[in-house]
Amino acid sequence: MVPRLTVVVVLGALLLAAPLRADEPPPEAILADLPFLDSDEVNRIYVDLAPEGKKRRLPILLDTGAVFSVFTPRAARAAGVHIRRAKAGPYRRATALGRDLLFYVDAERSDTGSRTGREYGLLGGNFLADYVLELDFHARRVRFLDPKRYEVPETVDAPGEAVIPLEMVSSRPGLTIELNGKATTVLLDTGAPDALVLSGKLARAAGIESAPLPGFGMAGVMGNVESEFAEVERMQIGPFGFEGVPAGVAPRGWHNLGFPGDSVLGYDVLAQFHVRIDYRRKRLWLHRDPEARMTLFGVDYDLYRKSGALLVPARQGFHVYAVLPGSRAEARGVRPWDFLATSESATHVVAGIMSGGALQVIRSVDEAPVEVVLEAGEGSSPAAAQPSAAPDGD
Protein backbone atom coordinates (compact mmCIF):
# COMPACT_ATOMS: atom_id res chain seq x y z
CA MET A 1 0.00 0.00 0.00
CA VAL A 2 1.42 3.41 -1.02
CA PRO A 3 1.35 6.02 1.77
CA ARG A 4 -1.10 8.89 1.19
CA LEU A 5 1.71 11.48 1.33
CA THR A 6 3.52 9.72 -1.51
CA VAL A 7 0.34 9.77 -3.62
CA VAL A 8 -0.06 13.50 -3.05
CA VAL A 9 3.57 14.17 -4.01
CA VAL A 10 3.24 12.06 -7.18
CA LEU A 11 0.02 13.79 -8.23
CA GLY A 12 1.60 17.18 -7.56
CA ALA A 13 4.57 16.29 -9.75
CA LEU A 14 2.25 15.18 -12.55
CA LEU A 15 0.28 18.43 -12.33
CA LEU A 16 3.47 20.47 -12.46
CA ALA A 17 4.62 18.51 -15.51
CA ALA A 18 1.32 18.98 -17.40
CA PRO A 19 1.52 21.56 -20.21
CA LEU A 20 -0.17 24.87 -19.49
CA ARG A 21 -3.00 25.28 -21.98
CA ALA A 22 -5.42 28.11 -22.58
CA ASP A 23 -8.73 27.33 -20.86
CA GLU A 24 -11.90 26.83 -22.88
CA PRO A 25 -14.20 29.83 -22.32
CA PRO A 26 -17.03 29.04 -19.87
CA PRO A 27 -20.56 29.04 -21.34
CA GLU A 28 -21.50 32.25 -19.53
CA ALA A 29 -18.61 34.06 -21.28
CA ILE A 30 -19.94 33.30 -24.77
CA LEU A 31 -22.07 36.27 -25.82
CA ALA A 32 -22.55 35.12 -29.42
CA ASP A 33 -21.49 32.12 -31.50
CA LEU A 34 -21.96 32.87 -35.21
CA PRO A 35 -21.14 30.88 -38.35
CA PHE A 36 -19.14 32.26 -41.26
CA LEU A 37 -21.68 33.14 -43.94
CA ASP A 38 -21.24 31.65 -47.40
CA SER A 39 -19.81 34.24 -49.77
CA ASP A 40 -18.63 34.48 -53.36
CA GLU A 41 -15.63 36.42 -52.02
CA VAL A 42 -12.58 34.32 -51.18
CA ASN A 43 -11.07 34.47 -47.68
CA ARG A 44 -13.68 36.70 -46.12
CA ILE A 45 -15.35 36.38 -42.72
CA TYR A 46 -18.96 37.51 -43.06
CA VAL A 47 -21.33 37.09 -40.12
CA ASP A 48 -24.98 37.99 -39.64
CA LEU A 49 -25.21 40.34 -36.65
CA ALA A 50 -28.99 40.69 -36.76
CA PRO A 51 -30.79 39.86 -33.50
CA GLU A 52 -32.48 36.47 -33.41
CA GLY A 53 -35.96 36.56 -34.93
CA LYS A 54 -35.34 39.63 -37.09
CA LYS A 55 -36.47 39.25 -40.70
CA ARG A 56 -33.91 41.71 -42.06
CA ARG A 57 -30.37 40.31 -41.99
CA LEU A 58 -27.29 42.31 -41.05
CA PRO A 59 -24.43 40.63 -42.96
CA ILE A 60 -21.12 42.30 -42.26
CA LEU A 61 -17.45 41.65 -42.99
CA LEU A 62 -15.41 41.15 -39.82
CA ASP A 63 -12.40 43.39 -40.34
CA THR A 64 -9.84 43.73 -37.55
CA GLY A 65 -7.95 46.15 -39.80
CA ALA A 66 -10.76 48.73 -39.77
CA VAL A 67 -10.78 51.47 -37.14
CA PHE A 68 -14.53 52.07 -37.31
CA SER A 69 -17.49 50.16 -38.72
CA VAL A 70 -18.67 51.47 -42.06
CA PHE A 71 -21.19 50.57 -44.78
CA THR A 72 -21.32 51.48 -48.43
CA PRO A 73 -24.64 53.07 -49.50
CA ARG A 74 -26.26 50.02 -51.11
CA ALA A 75 -25.19 47.72 -48.28
CA ALA A 76 -26.63 50.21 -45.79
CA ARG A 77 -29.96 50.37 -47.62
CA ALA A 78 -30.10 46.56 -47.72
CA ALA A 79 -29.77 46.69 -43.92
CA GLY A 80 -32.77 49.05 -43.74
CA VAL A 81 -30.82 52.28 -43.25
CA HIS A 82 -32.37 55.54 -44.45
CA ILE A 83 -29.33 57.48 -45.67
CA ARG A 84 -29.16 61.22 -45.03
CA ARG A 85 -26.35 63.07 -46.82
CA ALA A 86 -26.28 65.81 -44.15
CA LYS A 87 -26.01 63.38 -41.21
CA ALA A 88 -22.78 63.96 -39.27
CA GLY A 89 -23.01 61.30 -36.56
CA PRO A 90 -23.03 57.50 -36.86
CA TYR A 91 -26.03 55.33 -37.66
CA ARG A 92 -27.00 52.47 -35.36
CA ARG A 93 -28.56 49.01 -35.60
CA ALA A 94 -29.40 46.43 -32.96
CA THR A 95 -27.24 43.27 -32.96
CA ALA A 96 -27.33 39.68 -31.73
CA LEU A 97 -25.01 40.69 -28.88
CA GLY A 98 -27.64 42.89 -27.27
CA ARG A 99 -25.65 45.99 -28.12
CA ASP A 100 -26.17 48.50 -30.91
CA LEU A 101 -23.67 48.68 -33.74
CA LEU A 102 -22.57 52.25 -34.47
CA PHE A 103 -21.39 52.79 -38.04
CA TYR A 104 -20.92 55.40 -40.72
CA VAL A 105 -22.15 55.28 -44.30
CA ASP A 106 -19.57 56.22 -46.91
CA ALA A 107 -21.77 58.61 -48.86
CA GLU A 108 -19.23 61.41 -49.33
CA ARG A 109 -19.07 60.94 -53.10
CA SER A 110 -22.40 59.24 -53.68
CA ASP A 111 -25.40 58.04 -51.67
CA THR A 112 -26.30 55.45 -54.31
CA GLY A 113 -23.15 53.31 -54.56
CA SER A 114 -19.57 52.81 -53.41
CA ARG A 115 -16.53 54.58 -54.84
CA THR A 116 -15.00 51.25 -55.95
CA GLY A 117 -18.12 49.45 -57.20
CA ARG A 118 -17.89 46.90 -54.36
CA GLU A 119 -20.65 47.03 -51.74
CA TYR A 120 -20.01 45.91 -48.19
CA GLY A 121 -20.38 46.55 -44.49
CA LEU A 122 -17.25 46.42 -42.32
CA LEU A 123 -17.29 45.48 -38.65
CA GLY A 124 -14.40 47.47 -37.21
CA GLY A 125 -12.47 48.08 -34.03
CA ASN A 126 -15.04 50.42 -32.44
CA PHE A 127 -17.23 47.31 -31.94
CA LEU A 128 -14.69 44.48 -31.77
CA ALA A 129 -12.46 46.06 -29.11
CA ASP A 130 -15.06 45.45 -26.39
CA TYR A 131 -14.72 41.66 -26.69
CA VAL A 132 -12.34 38.77 -26.74
CA LEU A 133 -12.74 37.74 -30.36
CA GLU A 134 -12.40 34.04 -31.19
CA LEU A 135 -11.94 32.86 -34.80
CA ASP A 136 -12.24 29.14 -35.47
CA PHE A 137 -11.33 28.86 -39.14
CA HIS A 138 -11.60 25.06 -39.19
CA ALA A 139 -15.17 25.10 -37.84
CA ARG A 140 -15.91 28.39 -39.67
CA ARG A 141 -17.32 30.08 -36.57
CA VAL A 142 -16.82 33.35 -34.68
CA ARG A 143 -17.38 33.68 -30.95
CA PHE A 144 -17.68 36.99 -29.13
CA LEU A 145 -16.47 36.46 -25.55
CA ASP A 146 -17.15 38.63 -22.52
CA PRO A 147 -13.75 40.02 -21.34
CA LYS A 148 -15.13 40.16 -17.76
CA ARG A 149 -15.64 36.39 -17.77
CA TYR A 150 -12.77 35.20 -19.96
CA GLU A 151 -9.26 36.40 -20.70
CA VAL A 152 -6.42 35.10 -22.83
CA PRO A 153 -3.77 33.92 -20.33
CA GLU A 154 -0.42 35.65 -20.08
CA THR A 155 1.41 32.51 -21.17
CA VAL A 156 0.95 28.91 -22.30
CA ASP A 157 3.49 26.17 -22.93
CA ALA A 158 1.35 23.47 -24.56
CA PRO A 159 2.50 22.12 -27.95
CA GLY A 160 1.10 24.08 -30.87
CA GLU A 161 -0.07 26.97 -28.67
CA ALA A 162 1.36 30.40 -27.96
CA VAL A 163 0.34 33.74 -26.49
CA ILE A 164 1.84 36.76 -28.25
CA PRO A 165 1.66 40.37 -27.05
CA LEU A 166 -0.25 42.83 -29.20
CA GLU A 167 0.06 46.51 -29.87
CA MET A 168 -3.12 48.53 -30.28
CA VAL A 169 -3.39 51.58 -32.52
CA SER A 170 -6.89 53.02 -32.87
CA SER A 171 -8.46 49.69 -31.78
CA ARG A 172 -6.50 47.80 -34.43
CA PRO A 173 -4.23 44.92 -33.29
CA GLY A 174 -0.64 44.65 -34.42
CA LEU A 175 2.03 42.09 -33.62
CA THR A 176 5.75 41.69 -34.10
CA ILE A 177 6.87 39.02 -36.57
CA GLU A 178 10.18 38.22 -38.26
CA LEU A 179 10.69 38.27 -42.00
CA ASN A 180 14.00 36.67 -43.04
CA GLY A 181 15.19 37.30 -39.48
CA LYS A 182 14.19 40.99 -39.41
CA ALA A 183 11.68 41.91 -36.70
CA THR A 184 8.82 44.14 -37.80
CA THR A 185 5.33 45.05 -36.62
CA VAL A 186 2.39 44.27 -38.87
CA LEU A 187 -1.35 44.78 -38.66
CA LEU A 188 -3.41 41.67 -37.88
CA ASP A 189 -6.03 42.11 -40.58
CA THR A 190 -8.88 39.66 -41.08
CA GLY A 191 -10.11 41.91 -43.88
CA ALA A 192 -7.03 41.17 -46.03
CA PRO A 193 -7.61 37.98 -48.06
CA ASP A 194 -3.87 37.51 -48.75
CA ALA A 195 -1.16 35.94 -46.62
CA LEU A 196 1.03 39.06 -46.38
CA VAL A 197 0.95 42.56 -47.77
CA LEU A 198 4.23 44.44 -47.35
CA SER A 199 5.33 47.97 -48.07
CA GLY A 200 8.22 48.31 -50.47
CA LYS A 201 10.33 49.85 -47.73
CA LEU A 202 9.82 46.91 -45.37
CA ALA A 203 10.38 44.35 -48.14
CA ARG A 204 13.70 45.94 -49.10
CA ALA A 205 14.81 46.09 -45.46
CA ALA A 206 14.11 42.36 -45.07
CA GLY A 207 15.90 41.46 -48.30
CA ILE A 208 12.68 40.42 -50.04
CA GLU A 209 12.78 40.73 -53.82
CA SER A 210 9.53 41.48 -55.62
CA ALA A 211 8.56 41.99 -59.24
CA PRO A 212 5.44 42.84 -61.26
CA LEU A 213 3.45 39.76 -62.22
CA PRO A 214 0.94 39.86 -65.09
CA GLY A 215 -2.54 39.67 -63.64
CA PHE A 216 -1.45 40.10 -60.04
CA GLY A 217 -2.86 43.12 -58.24
CA MET A 218 -4.11 44.41 -54.90
CA ALA A 219 -6.89 46.76 -53.93
CA GLY A 220 -7.97 48.63 -50.83
CA VAL A 221 -11.05 50.61 -49.92
CA MET A 222 -9.62 53.51 -51.95
CA GLY A 223 -9.18 51.39 -55.09
CA ASN A 224 -6.34 49.58 -56.83
CA VAL A 225 -2.79 49.81 -55.47
CA GLU A 226 0.47 49.46 -57.39
CA SER A 227 1.63 45.95 -56.52
CA GLU A 228 4.28 43.32 -57.09
CA PHE A 229 4.57 39.65 -56.13
CA ALA A 230 7.19 38.12 -53.81
CA GLU A 231 7.93 35.02 -51.81
CA VAL A 232 9.27 35.44 -48.28
CA GLU A 233 11.93 32.83 -47.57
CA ARG A 234 11.32 32.67 -43.81
CA MET A 235 8.64 34.08 -41.52
CA GLN A 236 8.39 33.63 -37.75
CA ILE A 237 5.34 34.35 -35.58
CA GLY A 238 6.31 33.66 -31.99
CA PRO A 239 7.35 29.98 -31.95
CA PHE A 240 5.71 29.24 -35.31
CA GLY A 241 7.91 29.14 -38.39
CA PHE A 242 6.89 29.36 -42.06
CA GLU A 243 8.85 28.98 -45.29
CA GLY A 244 8.03 30.19 -48.77
CA VAL A 245 5.26 32.64 -47.83
CA PRO A 246 3.56 34.38 -50.79
CA ALA A 247 3.31 38.14 -50.38
CA GLY A 248 2.00 41.16 -52.18
CA VAL A 249 4.35 44.13 -52.12
CA ALA A 250 3.20 47.72 -52.53
CA PRO A 251 6.39 49.51 -53.67
CA ARG A 252 5.01 52.93 -52.78
CA GLY A 253 3.02 51.86 -49.73
CA TRP A 254 -0.58 50.86 -49.19
CA HIS A 255 -2.25 54.25 -48.60
CA ASN A 256 -1.60 53.93 -44.83
CA LEU A 257 -4.03 51.02 -44.62
CA GLY A 258 -1.60 48.91 -42.65
CA PHE A 259 0.06 49.53 -39.28
CA PRO A 260 2.87 52.12 -38.91
CA GLY A 261 5.00 49.82 -41.09
CA ASP A 262 2.25 49.88 -43.75
CA SER A 263 2.14 46.06 -43.82
CA VAL A 264 -0.44 43.46 -42.83
CA LEU A 265 -0.77 39.80 -41.89
CA GLY A 266 -3.87 38.45 -43.60
CA TYR A 267 -6.39 35.65 -43.81
CA ASP A 268 -4.20 32.99 -45.47
CA VAL A 269 -1.81 32.98 -42.49
CA LEU A 270 -4.44 33.41 -39.78
CA ALA A 271 -6.49 30.52 -41.18
CA GLN A 272 -3.75 28.11 -40.10
CA PHE A 273 -4.65 28.85 -36.47
CA HIS A 274 -7.45 28.85 -33.95
CA VAL A 275 -7.30 32.50 -32.86
CA ARG A 276 -8.36 34.52 -29.82
CA ILE A 277 -7.76 38.28 -29.76
CA ASP A 278 -7.99 39.83 -26.30
CA TYR A 279 -8.24 43.52 -27.11
CA ARG A 280 -8.43 44.73 -23.51
CA ARG A 281 -5.32 42.87 -22.34
CA LYS A 282 -3.43 43.15 -25.66
CA ARG A 283 -2.87 39.41 -26.03
CA LEU A 284 -3.17 37.05 -28.99
CA TRP A 285 -3.67 33.31 -28.46
CA LEU A 286 -2.79 31.04 -31.37
CA HIS A 287 -3.30 27.29 -31.66
CA ARG A 288 -1.82 25.99 -34.90
CA ASP A 289 -3.70 23.37 -36.89
CA PRO A 290 -1.15 20.56 -37.42
CA GLU A 291 -2.74 19.74 -40.79
CA ALA A 292 -2.74 23.34 -42.07
CA ARG A 293 -0.73 24.29 -45.14
CA MET A 294 0.26 27.66 -46.55
CA THR A 295 -2.39 28.92 -48.93
CA LEU A 296 -2.87 31.84 -51.28
CA PHE A 297 -6.48 32.94 -51.66
CA GLY A 298 -7.49 29.69 -49.99
CA VAL A 299 -5.64 27.32 -52.34
CA ASP A 300 -2.60 25.22 -51.36
CA TYR A 301 0.40 27.34 -52.35
CA ASP A 302 2.47 24.27 -53.27
CA LEU A 303 -0.01 23.66 -56.09
CA TYR A 304 0.81 27.09 -57.46
CA ARG A 305 4.48 26.26 -57.43
CA LYS A 306 3.88 23.08 -59.42
CA SER A 307 1.81 24.63 -62.18
CA GLY A 308 2.68 28.34 -62.03
CA ALA A 309 -1.00 29.34 -62.16
CA LEU A 310 -2.30 31.36 -59.20
CA LEU A 311 -5.87 30.18 -58.77
CA VAL A 312 -8.81 31.89 -57.11
CA PRO A 313 -11.81 29.64 -56.33
CA ALA A 314 -15.15 30.72 -57.77
CA ARG A 315 -18.62 29.22 -57.62
CA GLN A 316 -18.24 27.06 -60.74
CA GLY A 317 -14.47 26.65 -61.02
CA PHE A 318 -11.30 28.70 -60.74
CA HIS A 319 -10.09 32.01 -62.08
CA VAL A 320 -6.43 32.19 -63.04
CA TYR A 321 -5.35 35.21 -61.03
CA ALA A 322 -1.80 35.36 -62.37
CA VAL A 323 0.76 33.19 -64.17
CA LEU A 324 4.35 32.77 -63.00
CA PRO A 325 6.98 33.39 -65.71
CA GLY A 326 8.71 30.29 -67.05
CA SER A 327 6.11 27.99 -65.51
CA ARG A 328 4.24 25.03 -66.95
CA ALA A 329 1.05 27.10 -67.00
CA GLU A 330 2.74 29.77 -69.14
CA ALA A 331 4.07 27.11 -71.50
CA ARG A 332 0.56 25.65 -71.86
CA GLY A 333 -0.75 29.08 -72.92
CA VAL A 334 -2.72 29.77 -69.74
CA ARG A 335 -3.34 33.50 -69.26
CA PRO A 336 -4.34 35.67 -66.30
CA TRP A 337 -8.12 35.68 -65.75
CA ASP A 338 -8.75 32.61 -67.82
CA PHE A 339 -11.54 30.65 -66.18
CA LEU A 340 -11.34 26.89 -65.63
CA ALA A 341 -14.92 25.65 -65.34
CA THR A 342 -15.04 22.57 -63.14
CA SER A 343 -16.61 21.07 -60.05
CA GLU A 344 -13.33 19.34 -59.22
CA SER A 345 -10.75 20.41 -56.63
CA ALA A 346 -7.73 22.65 -57.16
CA THR A 347 -5.57 19.52 -57.11
CA HIS A 348 -7.49 18.19 -60.13
CA VAL A 349 -7.18 21.52 -61.96
CA VAL A 350 -3.42 21.63 -61.39
CA ALA A 351 -3.09 18.06 -62.63
CA GLY A 352 -4.86 19.13 -65.82
CA ILE A 353 -2.45 22.03 -66.33
CA MET A 354 0.53 19.78 -65.72
CA SER A 355 -0.68 16.97 -67.98
CA GLY A 356 0.08 16.69 -71.67
CA GLY A 357 -3.57 16.63 -72.69
CA ALA A 358 -5.75 19.39 -74.09
CA LEU A 359 -6.97 21.99 -71.62
CA GLN A 360 -10.21 23.91 -71.98
CA VAL A 361 -10.57 27.43 -70.58
CA ILE A 362 -13.08 30.26 -70.84
CA ARG A 363 -11.37 33.45 -71.95
CA SER A 364 -12.49 36.99 -72.69
CA VAL A 365 -12.08 37.63 -76.42
CA ASP A 366 -13.26 41.02 -77.71
CA GLU A 367 -15.00 41.47 -74.35
CA ALA A 368 -17.02 38.28 -74.79
CA PRO A 369 -16.48 34.95 -72.97
CA VAL A 370 -15.19 32.29 -75.38
CA GLU A 371 -14.24 28.66 -74.86
CA VAL A 372 -10.63 28.10 -75.90
CA VAL A 373 -8.86 24.75 -76.16
CA LEU A 374 -5.19 24.81 -75.20
CA GLU A 375 -3.59 21.94 -77.08
CA ALA A 376 -0.97 19.62 -75.66
CA GLY A 377 2.14 21.78 -75.62
CA GLU A 378 2.05 25.54 -76.10
CA GLY A 379 -0.57 27.98 -77.28
CA SER A 380 -4.29 27.72 -77.99
CA SER A 381 -6.42 26.51 -80.84
CA PRO A 382 -8.39 29.43 -82.33
CA ALA A 383 -10.41 27.04 -84.46
CA ALA A 384 -11.77 25.45 -81.32
CA ALA A 385 -12.84 28.75 -79.78
CA GLN A 386 -16.62 28.97 -79.33
CA PRO A 387 -18.90 31.43 -77.48
CA SER A 388 -19.63 30.46 -73.92
CA ALA A 389 -21.80 31.70 -71.09
CA ALA A 390 -19.91 33.75 -68.50
CA PRO A 391 -19.33 31.84 -65.24
CA ASP A 392 -21.14 32.94 -62.10
CA GLY A 393 -19.18 34.82 -59.50
CA ASP A 394 -17.38 37.20 -61.88
Side-chain angles (χ1 to χ4, degrees):
M1 178 176 179
V2 180
R4 182 178 299 174
L5 179 60
T6 303
V7 174
V8 172
V9 171
V10 171
L11 287 176
L14 289 174
L15 289 173
L16 288 173
L20 180 63
R21 298 181 180 275
D23 293 333
E24 176 67 14
E28 62 270 19
I30 303 171
L31 301 176
D33 185 345
L34 306 176
F36 290 16
L37 299 178
D38 291 335
S39 171
D40 289 338
E41 297 181 72
V42 176
N43 285 5
R44 301 289 193 181
I45 304 175
Y46 278 97
V47 294
D48 184 2
L49 275 187
E52 187 175 356
K54 287 285 186 179
K55 292 183 179 180
R56 192 184 294 272
R57 300 169 73 229
L58 187 60
I60 192 165
L61 174 63
L62 194 155
D63 189 353
T64 57
V67 175
F68 207 90
S69 302
V70 63
F71 279 68
T72 58
R74 289 180 185 174
R77 285 196 172 90
V81 177
H82 177 66
I83 301 174
R84 289 169 286 164
R85 289 292 296 271
K87 182 176 175 61
Y91 297 82
R92 66 172 61 229
R93 279 293 178 272
T95 73
L97 282 82
R99 168 193 169 196
D100 285 355
L101 169 67
L102 301 180
F103 61 94
Y104 288 101
V105 175
D106 184 9
E108 182 178 351
R109 296 187 182 181
S110 170
D111 61 358
T112 59
S114 74
R115 67 183 75 192
T116 63
R118 178 171 167 260
E119 301 293 335
Y120 53 84
L122 296 182
L123 184 63
N126 67 303
F127 190 88
L128 298 173
D130 287 336
Y131 304 96
V132 176
L133 180 67
E134 180 177 69
L135 306 173
D136 188 338
F137 290 89
H138 181 74
R140 292 180 58 79
R141 301 196 71 85
V142 177
R143 295 201 295 189
F144 292 83
L145 308 178
D146 185 346
K148 296 179 181 178
R149 293 180 170 88
Y150 177 81
E151 66 178 76
V152 168
E154 291 185 12
T155 184
V156 293
D157 63 5
E161 292 188 26
V163 173
I164 298 171
L166 293 174
E167 297 181 28
M168 290 290 172
V169 175
S170 301
S171 299
R172 300 191 302 169
L175 70 159
T176 298
I177 67 173
E178 291 185 6
L179 301 174
N180 293 343
K182 179 177 176 56
T184 186
T185 302
V186 295
L187 174 68
L188 191 160
D189 190 357
T190 58
D194 330 65
L196 278 172
V197 178
L198 307 175
S199 68
K201 181 179 180 180
L202 189 152
R204 289 188 293 271
I208 299 168
E209 297 182 0
S210 63
L213 183 63
F216 182 82
M218 300 185 298
V221 294
M222 302 297 292
N224 293 331
V225 179
E226 180 185 356
S227 56
E228 298 180 350
F229 185 76
E231 186 174 287
V232 180
E233 185 178 352
R234 300 183 315 280
M235 180 175 73
Q236 194 77 21
I237 304 175
F240 306 112
F242 304 80
E243 295 182 355
V245 181
V249 176
R252 301 182 183 180
W254 208 32
H255 300 326
N256 296 316
L257 294 181
F259 225 49
D262 217 12
S263 302
V264 306
L265 186 76
Y267 188 109
D268 274 309
V269 172
L270 296 174
Q272 300 190 41
F273 297 95
H274 192 153
V275 178
R276 291 180 189 140
I277 305 171
D278 192 331
Y279 282 82
R280 180 175 297 183
R281 299 169 187 91
K282 300 180 182 180
R283 299 173 193 159
L284 171 69
W285 173 78
L286 297 175
H287 184 199
R288 194 172 191 176
D289 181 351
E291 303 298 322
R293 299 177 64 83
M294 179 56 65
T295 59
L296 182 60
F297 305 114
V299 177
D300 188 337
Y301 185 57
D302 281 344
L303 292 176
Y304 290 150
R305 286 196 180 102
K306 291 178 181 178
S307 70
L310 309 190
L311 305 177
V312 178
R315 184 175 297 175
Q316 298 177 12
F318 294 85
H319 290 287
V320 179
Y321 186 54
V323 177
L324 300 177
S327 66
R328 177 63 173 165
E330 184 182 60
R332 292 295 312 274
V334 177
R335 299 178 185 174
W337 294 110
D338 281 349
F339 185 80
L340 300 134
T342 179
S343 60
E344 300 286 353
S345 67
T347 302
H348 179 88
V349 172
V350 167
I353 295 173
M354 298 295 291
S355 73
L359 184 67
Q360 191 171 43
V361 304
I362 298 175
R363 177 176 295 168
S364 178
V365 177
D366 295 330
E367 299 184 355
V370 171
E371 291 185 2
V372 176
V373 175
L374 306 180
E375 302 290 359
E378 301 185 17
S380 62
S381 172
Q386 299 182 13
S388 173
D392 287 349
D394 285 0

